[in-house]
């Protein structure tokens, strides 16, 4: 910890803070001399515990940061599950995914990687899930696409969507067992040895590109509303992110005064959606939007789901197998495996980024193994509960750590508890189902574009002046678009005579991220090229462990509740991939600190009132 320093002004972050800070790990890069000298400090480090009310308020902010990605997944899946016109079931799915995300977050922070990293639904499993639901046997009946013909309470309709959900559940549960095995066995290190930027870039980019049809269909229901939503999100996140807003604050020293908050930088998606949602609500009340279902713009109304708010129960308790006994298909499992591998690769990068931003040392191998294993367990729970998806680490919330300068994992624990509560409150899920589809489409335009660009950004590690690398990336991307598109237009082209094999190939070849990632992996590992040219050296350097630790590694990454201190000091422990090596000897002097879930309040921390103002909106 550094000594107390007085702030002389605002830096380019969301909050102005005073008091003692934690040093972030030194990256070795020269900082611009014009930056404030304290811009690389934290108000609370990963093992610190802020006051309980501050944990709740910051936890709410993390929930709001992740809500866009969390609610987008069930809304997209509802198209493949034939649930477009069943708002009540959509609300149940949203409640379930919130509930499971909260449980998985608590497991990850407590027993997994033990960093302040939020868990939620993953788009890497969405692509193979939609590919599976697009197979001929799972194509939605025509009558489910007509709102006037759908009786949501009929047994026929219930069986239509629940049979699809059960098939999805079984495939996710079996596929997640592979991630559990890879994590707890330590094989993730072997996987990463053969996977470089030229494999990751097309895989991640094609996740966003493959969802362009969902974005276009939703946005096309009213281009005016969707363009407005997109424009607002872009305005808040890009043009106004450096603009601070004054908010009244009170503390003992300065009494009533104003603090400046970078609110547009913190919640651009939430602000854009809320404003567009409100405008649609006003246009609906005054019947500015069409009232006839066959008129263009009708789907921008906020009253299309009927009295879903009134029908939704105040309390709902999601439970495993709530949609029936899951079924398993080979094609679905193989497709989910492609998404699971992509999710694991992405999460390893998130762990390192989160450690840097939370003032923690780089995660050791045993912590990474535990993190991947717990994520696999989270996918298993998500499949059992019936979210239609899995779980992964959320990059958006990792970025929020750099904005708020609060890296405490107790804040993420509070977020996990809040998401569980939101999953139990049925009215919360019902509210989100009333968001008009053009507003969702406008959000997709930004969100999927960012996912695509995030994949391309991995090419910064490779030498893109090399004709070898240009060929690999270009061919992988183009193949990932051409082959799935052709297979979807010619579903009968695959006919090997073995039904199970046909279904497996159908799912794999219609999953863009698998096709692109497969070609990228094969070519990058077979076409001759140096490690520098392939980007392997730069990639490993960006993710390697360093010695500039600001906290003892054992204090951050060892098992909670003093479990590590009870482990024997036998040498055989070093062969357990997820167990901290030499646990008992390394904790002789700091057993108390290892239990970071017990509240502690370091002396000299800043008055929390100035942090509260940024999240108490």
């Amino acid at each position: 910890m550094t000594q107390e320093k007085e702030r002389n002004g605002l830096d380019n972050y969301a909050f102005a803070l005073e008091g003692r800070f934690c040093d972030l790990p030194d990256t070795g890069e020269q900082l611009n001399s014009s930056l404030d000298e304290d811009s690389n400090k934290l108000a609370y480090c990963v093992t610190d515990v802020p006051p309980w009310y501050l944990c709740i308020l910051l936890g709410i902010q993390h929930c709001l940061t992740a809500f866009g990605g969390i609610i987008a997944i069930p809304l997209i899946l509802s198209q493949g599950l034939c649930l477009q016109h069943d708002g009540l079931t959509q609300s149940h799915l949203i409640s379930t995914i919130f509930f499971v995300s909260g449980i998985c977050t608590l497991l990850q922070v407590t027993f997994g990687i033990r960093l302040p990293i939020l868990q939620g639904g993953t788009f890497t499993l969405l692509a193979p899930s939609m590919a599976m639901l697009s197979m001929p046997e799972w194509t939605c009946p025509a009558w489910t696409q007509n709102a006037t013909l759908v009786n949501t309470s009929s047994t026929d309709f219930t069986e239509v969507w629940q049979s699809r959900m059960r098939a999805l559940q079984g495939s996710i549960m079996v596929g997640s067992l592979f991630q559990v095995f890879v994590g707890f066995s330590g094989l993730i290190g072997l996987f990463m040895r053969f996977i470089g930027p030229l494999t990751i870039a097309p895989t991640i980019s094609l996740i966003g590109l493959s969802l362009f049809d969902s974005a276009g269909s939703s946005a096309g229901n009213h281009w005016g509303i969707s363009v407005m939503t997109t424009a607002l999100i872009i305005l808040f996140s890009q043009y106004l992110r450096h603009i601070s807003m004054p908010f009244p604050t009170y503390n003992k020293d300065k009494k009533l005064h104003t603090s400046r908050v970078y609110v547009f930088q913190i919640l651009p998606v939430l602000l854009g959606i809320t404003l567009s949602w409100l405008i649609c609500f006003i246009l609906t009340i005054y019947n500015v939007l069409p009232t006839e279902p066959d008129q263009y713009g009708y789907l921008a109304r906020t009253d299309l789901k009927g009295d879903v708010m009134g029908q939704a129960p105040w309390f709902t308790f999601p439970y495993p197998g709530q949609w029936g006994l899951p079924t398993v298909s080979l094609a679905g499992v193989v497709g989910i495996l492609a998404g699971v591998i992509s999710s694991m690769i992405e999460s390893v990068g998130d762990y390192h980024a989160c450690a840097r931003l939370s003032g923690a040392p780089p995660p050791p191998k045993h912590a990474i193994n535990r993190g991947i294993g717990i994520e696999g367990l989270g996918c298993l729970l998500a499949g059992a509960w019936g979210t239609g998806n899995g779980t992964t680490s959320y990059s958006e919330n990792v970025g929020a750590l750099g904005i708020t300068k609060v890296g405490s994992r107790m804040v993420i624990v509070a977020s996990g508890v809040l998401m569980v509560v939101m999953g139990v409150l049925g009215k919360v899920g019902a509210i989100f189902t009333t968001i008009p589809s053009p507003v969702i489409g406008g959000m997709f335009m930004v969100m999927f574009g960012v996912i695509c660009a995030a994949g391309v950004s991995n090419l910064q590690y490779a030498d893109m002046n090399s004709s070898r690398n240009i060929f690999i990336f270009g061919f992988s991307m183009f193949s990932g678009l051409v082959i799935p598109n052709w297979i979807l237009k010619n579903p009968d082209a695959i006919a090997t005579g073995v039904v199970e094999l046909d279904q497996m190939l159908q799912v794999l070849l219609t999953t863009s991220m698998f096709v692109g990632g497969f070609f990228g992996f094969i070519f990058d590992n077979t076409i001759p090229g140096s490690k520098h040219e392939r980007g392997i050296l730069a990639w490993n350097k960006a993710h390697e462990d360093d010695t500039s630790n600001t906290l003892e590694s054992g204090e951050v990454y060892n098992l909670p509740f003093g479990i590590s201190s009870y482990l024997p000091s036998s040498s055989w422990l070093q062969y357990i991939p997820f167990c901290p090596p030499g646990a008992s000897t390394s904790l002789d002097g700091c057993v108390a600190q290892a239990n970071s879930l017990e509240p502690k309040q370091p002396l000299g921390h800043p008055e929390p009132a100035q942090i509260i103002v940024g999240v108490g909106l």
Side-chain angles (χ1 to χ4, degrees), residues 348-372:
V348 171
D350 288 337
Y351 296 161
H352 287 273
C354 185
R356 287 195 297 269
L357 290 173
S358 60
K365 292 181 179 179
H366 69 85
I368 292 178
N369 293 338
R370 255 195 344 263
I372 296 298

Side-chain angles (χ1 to χ4, degrees), residues 67 120 132 150 226 283 329 376 526 558 592:
F67 104 102
M132 174 183 169
V150 172
S226 60
L283 296 178
S329 69
T526 56
N558 279 355

Side-chain angles (χ1 to χ4, degrees), residues 353-530:
C354 185
R356 287 195 297 269
L357 290 173
S358 60
K365 292 181 179 179
H366 69 85
I368 292 178
N369 293 338
R370 255 195 344 263
I372 296 298
I374 292 295
E375 281 196 20
L377 182 61
C379 289
L380 183 65
L381 295 179
W385 256 264
T387 66
N389 197 251
T391 59
T392 191
S393 301
Y394 262 35
S395 305
E396 303 95 321
N397 293 82
V398 173
L401 298 176
I403 297 174
T404 63
K405 295 303 180 185
V406 176
S408 171
R409 58 185 165 207
M410 282 305 297
V411 171
I412 304 299
V413 170
S415 297
V417 174
L418 287 169
M419 285 195 291
V420 171
V421 173
M422 292 172 67
V424 172
L425 297 176
K427 299 291 186 184
V428 173
I431 290 174
F432 292 130
T433 64
T434 63
I435 302 177
S437 62
V439 176
I440 298 294
M443 178 186 70
F444 287 167
M445 296 283 286
V446 177
M447 185 177 296
F448 297 159
V450 171
I451 292 174
C452 181
V456 175
S457 69
N458 288 281
L459 296 177
Q460 65 183 299
Y461 302 107
D463 179 12
M464 292 313 292
N465 289 321
S466 166
S467 59
R468 169 193 182 275
N469 293 349
I470 290 176
F471 161 74
I472 293 175
F473 179 70
F475 183 84
S476 300
M477 289 289 290
F478 198 70
S479 299
L481 295 173
V482 172
I483 295 177
N485 182 63
W486 187 85
I487 296 294
L488 287 173
K489 292 181 178 178
N490 300 272
D492 298 328
I494 300 177
T496 63
V498 181
V499 176
E500 291 78 9
L501 182 60
D502 291 346
Q503 293 176 344
M504 183 180 68
L505 293 175
Q506 177 85 15
V507 171
L508 288 178
L509 294 180
T510 53
T511 305
S512 296
M513 55 174 282
F514 168 78
V515 176
F518 174 79
F519 282 119
F521 175 81
I522 294 297
F523 289 142
D524 189 35
N525 285 280
T526 56
I527 298 177
S530 66

Side-chain angles (χ1 to χ4, degrees), residues 18-32:
E18 299 177 1
R20 194 173 65 152
F21 291 83
C22 308
D23 285 318
L24 286 171
D26 183 12
T27 59
E29 298 179 357
Q30 295 296 326
L31 297 178
N32 191 317

